[in-house]
Amino acid sequence: MGEFALELNDDQKQVRDWLHGFAADVMRPAAAEWDEREETPWPIIQEAAKLGIYSLDFYAQQFFDPTGLGIPMAMEELFWGDAGIALSIVGTGLAAVGVLANGTEEQIGTWIPQMYGEVDDVKVAAFCSSEPDAGSDVASMRTRAVYDEAKDEWVLNGTKTWATNGGIANVHVVVAVVDPELGSKGHASFIVPPNTPGLSQGQKFQKHGIRASHTAEVVLEDVRVPGHCLLGGKDKLDDRIARAREKSRAGGEQVKNAAMATFEASRPAVGAMAVGTARAAYEVALDYAKTRVQFGRPIIENQGVAFQLADMATQIDAARLLVWRASWMATAGKPFTAAEGSMSKLYASEVAKKVTAQAIQILGGNGYTREYPVERMHRDAAIYTIFEGTSEIQRMVISRAIAK
């Protein structure tokens, strides 16, 4: 366990600078093109794979950084480059976290490499939890998984929505109901292997922002997966279901469900993504304010502009510190007694929306056009207060934690 630090060490700085170079030289020049195309930027994912950025080894190194700062540092730099392209590069990570959080060692070793593919044949993965009638309200999930004991197979039926890489993924991780009477505690996660019959892509969504990232429905029609594709295994599931039923009868606290475990593990990382986007917009606005001359002087010499930039810089730093604290706590095994993970995601998400809007205001008419990147950054930033738990859900989680 590393000690909490307010500064990256030399090794982390070296990785940060390497990622920053990739973000500046490869991602940013292509950002506007892939935003307009609204397609997965496979050539850039391929380039990231060749450099070792899109790989299991790289994310494992960051994930197991003893300080806890590896993942948030990486997310901030990549999303500083461009949020849509970055999400295409890191989107597989949510499915990988789902397997790491709930799978056996054998499942981790078997499926996570298949999520990324090879350097010359990259693949992506999808984590499928949300449904048309079950977003934040995971208890309303309808996708069912029924065990066929004779064949040792699980049969999945339902429709998932808002799935990053949904339908184009090599491996899908699907959360489904195995015991409807237990609500969200009766859920389990399943691996759907490549080319499994019955899984298809539904509607592909045309989005306001992060348009280089593929988002679609995933339709499951009598999808049969082997018993070993149940994350954690059936013995563990049966034990968890039995405990949940017992606690439900006793009126006690329920056990945690698989989807929520995945989201809680990833919330500080989403906060880091938001920090990266906010920082990018702030830097554009700062440079513009230093060079844009009005009434005979740079506009940064006007107090109204300078104070906005001061607030933006302060809020970005505060958001980063909340993210770093939550990331360190998770790595150190310290419980989020005050929902510190949700705090980091909530604050950083709101800062990203506010800072990108202020950047547009500072650039004036130029900021409203696609000639400058802040317009795209503002569209991208809107997603942070929505996915992996809306800001309203984060406030609910925090309020319940502090009320205990």
Side-chain angles (χ1 to χ4, degrees):
M1 181 181 71
E3 295 295 327
F4 181 66
L6 294 175
E7 186 178 15
L8 300 176
N9 59 41
D10 289 341
D11 289 342
Q12 291 167 331
K13 289 177 181 178
Q14 185 175 5
V15 174
R16 179 200 61 190
D17 294 344
W18 172 53
L19 292 172
H20 188 83
F22 176 79
D25 298 338
V26 179
M27 296 173 66
R28 281 206 167 180
E33 174 189 352
W34 290 100
D35 177 69
E36 290 289 343
R37 292 175 63 168
E38 298 191 53
E39 297 175 357
T40 300
W42 289 107
I44 299 179
I45 299 176
Q46 183 82 53
E47 186 66 21
K50 289 179 180 178
L51 294 174
I53 296 172
Y54 185 76
S55 71
L56 172 61
D57 288 344
F58 172 73
Y59 288 106
Q61 289 173 9
Q62 305 316 310
F63 184 82
F64 292 111
D65 182 330
T67 70
L69 302 185
I71 288 294
M73 174 271 296
M75 294 301 104
E76 179 176 339
E77 291 306 320
L78 291 173
F79 280 75
W80 172 90
D82 177 68
I85 293 175
L87 192 56
S88 286
I89 293 173
V90 308
T92 294
L94 186 59
V97 168
V99 176
L100 285 169
N102 304 296
T104 64
E105 289 186 9
E106 182 179 357
Q107 289 170 332
I108 292 169
T110 298
W111 296 112
I112 293 183
Q114 294 187 50
M115 293 179 174
Y116 289 94
E118 304 293 338
V119 171
D120 296 326
D121 184 23
V122 295
K123 305 293 185 182
V124 294
F127 183 76
C128 308
S129 177
S130 294
E131 297 183 3
D133 297 319
S136 299
D137 182 12
V138 295
S140 298
M141 190 176 293
R142 296 180 180 178
T143 296
R144 290 294 307 276
V146 178
Y147 186 55
D148 183 343
E149 189 171 359
K151 295 184 178 180
D152 186 27
E153 292 179 338
W154 289 89
V155 185
L156 279 62
N157 282 282
T159 299
K160 294 297 182 178
T161 194
W162 311 122
T164 298
N165 298 329
I168 66 170
N170 193 46
V171 176
H172 291 77
V173 178
V174 177
V175 182
V177 179
V178 296
D179 190 327
E181 295 181 0
L182 292 176
S184 63
K185 311 308 175 185
H187 297 175
S189 294
F190 298 85
I191 291 285
V192 180
N195 304 313
T196 298
L199 184 148
S200 62
Q201 179 182 308
Q203 177 187 3
K204 178 188 175 183
F205 295 105
Q206 294 180 304
K207 305 188 299 294
H208 176 64
I210 54 168
R211 300 198 300 188
S213 173
H214 177 96
T215 310
E217 290 181 331
V218 174
V219 180
L220 304 140
E221 297 178 311
D222 292 329
V223 172
R224 286 183 168 269
V225 300
H228 61 75
C229 287
L230 166 64
L231 288 182
K234 194 166 188 305
D235 288 345
K236 182 178 178 181
L237 172 65
D238 289 344
D239 179 65
R240 180 166 62 83
I241 292 296
R243 287 188 290 112
R245 287 174 179 165
E246 182 178 347
K247 290 186 177 182
S248 179
R249 287 192 296 268
E253 184 180 352
Q254 298 286 351
V255 295
K256 187 178 295 183
N257 71 71
M260 288 298 99
T262 300
F263 289 138
E264 287 182 17
S266 63
R267 277 171 180 161
V270 176
M273 298 172 188
V275 170
T277 299
R279 190 184 110 212
Y282 161 74
E283 290 176 1
V284 172
L286 179 62
D287 290 344
Y288 186 88
K290 289 178 178 179
T291 57
R292 174 67 168 173
V293 175
Q294 290 286 281
F295 304 105
R297 59 179 181 172
I299 62 173
I300 198 170
E301 294 183 14
N302 296 319
Q303 194 175 77
V305 173
F307 280 13
Q308 281 193 74
L309 289 163
D311 286 343
M312 292 158 74
T314 302
Q315 290 161 2
I316 291 167
D317 276 8
R320 182 183 297 108
L321 289 173
L322 283 172
V323 167
W324 282 16
R325 180 185 68 168
S327 300
W328 171 76
M329 289 178 67
T331 299
K334 295 184 179 295
F336 288 160
T337 55
E340 288 86 352
S342 289
M343 283 184 181
S344 69
K345 197 266 185 186
L346 169 65
Y347 187 74
S349 298
E350 296 290 346
V351 165
K353 284 185 66 175
K354 184 176 181 180
V355 165
T356 54
Q358 287 177 306
I360 290 177
Q361 193 68 24
I362 289 171
L363 269 67
N366 287 327
Y368 197 66
T369 71
R370 294 189 182 179
E371 295 298 315
Y372 288 80
V374 291
E375 175 271 342
R376 183 180 69 252
M377 294 169 181
H378 184 51
R379 287 189 285 109
D380 291 340
I383 194 60
Y384 299 128
T385 62
I386 298 173
F387 72 177
E388 295 197 50
T390 64
S391 287
E392 290 74 22
I393 290 295
Q394 306 308 323
R395 291 185 173 97
M396 183 178 71
V397 172
I398 296 165
S399 64
R400 287 177 176 175
I402 63 177
K404 290 181 180 179

